[in-house]
């Protein structure tokens, strides 16, 4: 640590008033050049001519001073500085001249000249220039002289700095006009302010764009002259973790990924185990371990469950925990007869007709137009299940909401399984043993097209009637039940849906066609890679669905 400088021959004034020193009435102007000055003449050229410097040095003048990084280019945009008033002193410090000879500190050996070369006489350091030696003397030698001669230097006040010029603005983007033919002509003629030269400037009168035409830069590139303080701060959730490969930044608040396998209905292979890379169950949170145990016990008795049915059969578990537990227990189909149902790992329902009872029927329950149902407000599209979920929050949940009995409906989901349909008419229709020889993976599953179309059409109409507060009777569907179990083409299915509406005297729109699957299938299989977005506005059943009103097949 450097010792504090001590003034020679100055008595101590501890406990007394500080001494007074007189400063000559000599005034200075300080210019803080933003560049490292190696050549004083070139540094002065960047600040302008002597007239500009003299005007700024005037005592009562506060003109701006411009600094041009390329003083030879009159088109160079300058950096402008305004003078500010200061009250600083200029000191002259005189120290003994250094000879350049050295000896080991504390020894009595004679001083030796400094060796700046290798043993063979060749220099191992680049030879300093005159300007760099001057700067080095100011930085190194002066400081060394002050510390080595605490009693042999003099300090003399020289004058007062009443004006300082500091370049604190941003330099504009620079554009070199050296290779620009047009700008060089402008510099040689117009900027000279010499009339004979200015008369030589001419523009090309020809029309149109010619090859090689120059695109001239704007007068200025940036409108900002003052640096903007962005006040960058590190995210407090980002922590440094030590890993075998070294330190790594990790966001501790990043939502954990859910990697439940999702495959298409036409995917030939099914997952037989959880995805690789999941944390071992033994290392998970105890609540998550308990949820996994519950779900595995349910899948052991019934291999395929909808998420709503499973949540109704489990003790109260947060939906976020359920979603993380699903990836350890089973996979899901993106589309097809078992869409949106959790299937136990290793079970392929497309290979055995006994799994037909776990096929799902999905309906989109929405109000298409508030104008018809809510007093003519004209607002478009309303999902009733969101309102239902919020209205029933805090109430005792109906544990049989996943069961469709034809008399009641709960709007906490949109997916029902065949085994959860207790409506006598639908249960009798779907209990048929007249099945396909091969599974129809797109929509019908193991049922013939006519059976599945009639079941979906009847259930859709029953849901519509329940939403309207007018339950339908089974005898209203006698004409539908008379349709054949096997329908050829898609037109027969459309007529089934329209005929049900006409029987009840309702308006049937052409876009309410009953199709095997309205949703487009995703190409290929994959892993559901979604983030856990929290429990806000979620259904207690853990469903990701929301809505109610008009009933449409999906």
């Amino acid at each position: 640590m450097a010792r504090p400088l001590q003034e020679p021959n100055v008595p101590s004034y501890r406990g007394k008033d500080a001494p007074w020193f007189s400063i000559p009435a000599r005034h200075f102007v300080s210019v803080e050049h933003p560049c490292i000055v190696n050549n004083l003449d070139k540094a002065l050229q960047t600040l302008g001519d002597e007239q500009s410097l003299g005007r700024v040095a005037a005592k009562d003048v506060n003109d701006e001073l411009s600094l041009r990084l390329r003083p030879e280019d009159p088109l160079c945009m300058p950096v402008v500085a305004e003078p500010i008033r200061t009250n600083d002193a200029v000191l002259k410090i005189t120290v003994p001249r250094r000879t350049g000879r050295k000896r080991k500190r504390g020894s009595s050996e004679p001083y030796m000249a400094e060796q700046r070369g290798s043993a063979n006489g060749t220099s191992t350091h680049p030879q300093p220039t005159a300007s760099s030696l001057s700067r080095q003397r100011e930085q190194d030698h002066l400081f060394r002289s002050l510390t080595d001669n605490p009693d042999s230097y003099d300090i003399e006040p020289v004058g007062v700095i009443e004006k300082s010029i500091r370049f604190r603005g941003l330099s504009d983007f620079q554009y070199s006009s050296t290779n620009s033919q047009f700008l060089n002509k402008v510099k040689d003629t117009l900027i000279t302010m010499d009339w004979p030269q200015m008369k030589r400037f001419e523009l090309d009168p020809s029309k149109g764009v010619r090859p090689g035409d120059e695109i001239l830069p704007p007068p200025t590139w940036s409108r900002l002259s003052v640096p903007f303080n962005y006040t960058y701060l590190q995210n407090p959730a980002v922590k440094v973790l030590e890993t075998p490969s070294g330190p790594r930044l990790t966001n501790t608040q990043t939502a954990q990924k859910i990697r439940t396998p999702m495959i298409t209905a036409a995917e030939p292979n099914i997952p037989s185990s959880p995805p690789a890379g999941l944390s071992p169950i033994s290392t998970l949170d105890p609540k998550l371990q308990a949820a996994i145990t519950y779900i595995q016990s349910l899948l052991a008795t019934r291999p395929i469950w909808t998420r709503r049915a499973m949540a109704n059969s489990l003790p109260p578990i947060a939906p976020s925990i359920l979603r993380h537990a699903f990836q350890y227990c089973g996979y899901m189909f993106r589309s097809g007869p078992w869409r949106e149902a959790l299937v136990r790992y290793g079970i392929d329902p497309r290979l055995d007709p006994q799994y037909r009872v776990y096929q799902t029927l999905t309906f989109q329950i929405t109000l298409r137009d508030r104008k018809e149902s809510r007093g003519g407000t004209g607002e478009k599209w309303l999902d009733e299940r969101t309102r239902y979920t919020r209205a029933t929050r805090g109430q005792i949940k109906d544990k049989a909401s996943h069961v469709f009995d034809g008399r009641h409906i709960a709007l906490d989901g949109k997916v029902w399984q065949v085994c959860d349909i207790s409506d006598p008419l639908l249960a009798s229709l779907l209990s048929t043993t007249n099945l396909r020889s091969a599974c129809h993976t797109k929509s019908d599953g193991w049922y013939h097209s006519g059976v599945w179309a009639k079941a979906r059409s009847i259930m859709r109409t029953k849901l519509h009637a329940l939403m309207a507060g007018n339950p339908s009777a089974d005898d209203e569907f006698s004409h539908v039940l008379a349709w054949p179990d096997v329908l050829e083409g898609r037109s027969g299915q459309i007529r089934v849906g329209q005929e049900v509406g006409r029987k009840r005297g309702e308006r049937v729109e052409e876009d309410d066609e009953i199709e095997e699957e309205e949703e487009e299938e995703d190409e290929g299989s994959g892993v559901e890679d979604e983030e856990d977005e929290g429990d806000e506005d979620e259904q207690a059943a853990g469903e990701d669905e929301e809505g109610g009103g008009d009933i449409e097949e999906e």
Side-chain angles (χ1 to χ4, degrees):
M1 179 182 294
R3 293 178 297 172
L5 302 180
Q6 302 176 3
E7 297 188 6
N9 305 323
V10 177
S12 174
Y13 288 91
R14 291 184 178 178
K16 303 179 182 180
D17 295 337
W20 289 83
F21 295 92
S22 61
I23 299 178
R26 189 176 179 183
H27 302 283
F28 292 85
V29 176
S30 172
V31 178
E32 299 181 5
H33 203 289
C35 302
I36 298 177
V37 178
N38 291 330
N39 189 308
L40 182 60
D41 295 334
K42 291 185 176 181
L44 293 175
Q45 290 178 8
T46 61
L47 299 175
D49 52 16
E50 294 183 0
Q51 183 178 0
S52 301
L53 294 175
R55 185 171 59 253
V56 174
K59 184 175 182 181
D60 297 330
V61 178
N62 291 324
D63 290 352
E64 297 177 344
L65 182 62
S66 298
L67 182 144
R68 299 179 183 274
L69 299 177
R70 301 191 312 278
E72 70 282 355
D73 187 358
L75 299 178
C76 173
M77 289 300 300
V79 182
V80 181
E82 294 183 358
I84 60 174
R85 293 294 177 180
T86 56
N87 189 23
D88 300 329
V90 179
L91 302 180
K92 178 182 178 182
I93 302 176
T94 304
V95 295
R97 185 183 299 275
R98 293 181 60 84
T99 63
R101 298 183 300 170
K102 294 183 178 181
R103 72 176 178 183
K104 193 172 183 179
R105 187 180 299 275
S107 67
S108 58
E109 299 177 358
Y111 286 96
M112 303 295 293
E114 182 179 3
Q115 300 292 331
R116 300 187 60 86
S118 60
N120 56 8
T122 60
S123 176
T124 58
H125 301 278
Q127 295 298 325
T129 61
S131 59
S132 63
L133 280 176
S134 175
R135 193 167 65 252
Q136 181 181 3
R137 183 178 298 110
E138 294 177 359
Q139 297 178 0
D140 299 333
H141 293 182
L142 180 60
F143 181 77
R144 183 64 179 272
S145 297
L146 290 173
T147 55
D148 289 349
N149 303 278
D151 301 325
S152 304
Y153 66 87
D154 297 325
I155 298 179
E156 176 186 356
V158 176
V160 179
I161 300 177
E162 295 183 342
K163 185 189 299 185
S164 295
I165 299 176
R166 301 168 181 173
F167 294 91
R168 295 294 188 264
L170 291 174
S171 175
D172 195 8
F173 297 98
Q174 301 294 311
Y175 178 86
S176 177
S177 60
T178 304
N179 299 324
S180 174
Q181 182 179 359
F182 178 80
L183 293 180
N184 284 329
K185 184 167 63 173
V186 171
K187 289 189 292 184
D188 296 338
T189 55
L190 298 181
I191 298 182
T192 60
M193 303 305 294
D194 180 56
W195 177 243
Q197 293 292 333
M198 295 175 66
K199 290 194 300 182
R200 295 176 52 243
F201 179 79
E202 294 180 354
L203 293 174
D204 190 350
S206 59
K207 299 180 180 180
V209 180
R210 297 174 302 278
D213 279 355
E214 299 182 35
I215 300 177
L216 300 180
T220 59
W221 293 92
S222 175
R223 295 180 296 174
L224 300 178
S225 59
V226 179
F228 183 78
N229 184 13
Y230 289 92
T231 61
Y232 287 115
L233 296 175
Q234 177 62 276
N235 186 350
V238 175
K239 306 297 182 182
V240 179
L241 297 181
E242 294 294 337
T243 63
S245 58
R248 181 172 60 88
L249 292 178
T250 301
N251 191 331
T252 57
Q253 294 182 354
T254 301
Q256 188 176 0
K257 299 293 183 179
I258 299 176
R259 304 180 58 196
T260 303
M262 303 286 291
I263 66 174
T264 61
E267 177 67 27
N269 300 319
I270 62 167
S272 58
S273 60
L278 293 180
S279 301
I281 297 179
S282 59
T283 63
L284 301 178
D285 182 80
K287 293 183 179 180
L288 182 55
Q289 293 186 35
I292 294 174
T293 302
Y294 281 128
I295 296 174
Q296 289 177 343
S297 63
L298 291 179
L299 289 173
T301 58
R302 172 173 157 180
I304 304 174
W305 290 74
T306 61
R307 289 172 288 184
R308 178 171 54 163
M310 181 168 289
N312 289 341
S313 304
L314 292 172
I317 299 177
S320 59
I321 296 179
L322 280 180
R323 287 199 299 272
H324 285 280
F326 287 157
Q327 59 189 341
Y328 287 90
C329 303
Y331 68 96
M332 294 184 179
F333 285 98
R334 293 184 183 273
S335 58
W338 294 273
R339 172 186 170 191
E340 297 191 23
L342 184 68
V343 185
R344 190 175 69 200
Y345 284 123
I347 297 294
D348 190 348
R350 301 167 299 181
L351 302 180
D352 195 329
Q354 67 171 332
Y355 297 114
R356 69 186 184 279
V357 297
Y358 305 120
Q359 291 183 206
T360 59
L361 295 96
T362 305
F363 300 91
Q364 183 178 356
I365 307 175
T366 58
L367 288 177
R368 292 193 176 185
D369 193 353
R370 286 188 180 184
K371 185 175 181 180
E372 298 179 3
S373 59
R374 303 200 62 184
T377 59
E379 301 179 29
K380 295 182 179 179
W381 202 86
L382 173 64
D383 195 329
E384 280 292 314
R385 280 175 295 155
T386 301
R387 188 171 58 186
Y388 174 85
T389 301
R390 294 173 179 173
T392 58
R393 180 173 295 169
Q395 302 178 9
I396 299 177
K397 179 173 170 39
D398 181 9
K399 290 295 186 178
S401 62
H402 62 286
V403 177
F404 181 73
D405 58 3
R407 299 184 302 274
H408 308 88
I409 181 175
L411 300 180
D412 59 348
K414 63 178 182 179
V415 184
W416 286 266
Q417 285 182 281
V418 172
C419 60
D420 293 329
I421 296 177
S422 61
D423 177 78
L425 179 61
L426 290 173
S428 174
L429 178 63
L430 294 172
S431 62
T432 179
T433 57
N434 183 15
L435 305 175
R436 290 175 179 264
S437 58
C439 180
H440 183 263
T441 59
K442 188 174 182 181
S443 64
D444 299 339
W446 291 102
Y447 292 98
H448 286 293
S449 57
V451 175
W452 194 244
K454 288 186 287 186
R456 295 180 66 169
S457 182
I458 293 173
M459 185 169 180
R460 174 191 178 278
T461 306
K462 284 178 173 286
L463 289 171
H464 191 284
L466 289 174
M467 291 295 299
N470 183 22
S472 58
D474 291 348
D475 57 1
E476 298 180 30
F477 302 98
S478 58
H479 63 289
V480 178
L481 297 175
W483 280 81
D485 290 347
V486 179
L487 297 176
E488 299 296 338
R490 303 172 66 88
S491 59
Q493 297 176 0
I494 297 174
R495 288 195 296 271
V496 169
Q498 294 176 348
E499 192 66 26
V500 172
R502 293 193 183 98
K503 178 68 175 178
R504 295 178 58 86
E506 300 173 351
R507 178 174 58 89
V508 179
E509 300 180 0
E510 291 297 328
D511 58 355
D512 287 338
E513 299 173 354
I514 301 178
E515 302 177 359
E516 288 93 350
E517 185 63 48
E518 293 183 0
E519 180 179 351
E520 295 182 1
E521 293 188 4
D522 297 332
E523 293 295 333
S525 61
V527 174
E528 182 184 24
D529 196 7
E530 61 181 31
E531 294 185 357
D532 184 3
E533 299 179 352
D535 299 338
E536 183 177 1
D537 290 342
E538 289 181 347
Q539 305 164 32
E543 295 282 353
D544 296 331
E545 319 134 0
E546 305 176 353
D550 277 350
I551 314 298
E552 300 176 9
E553 290 85 4
E554 289 191 353

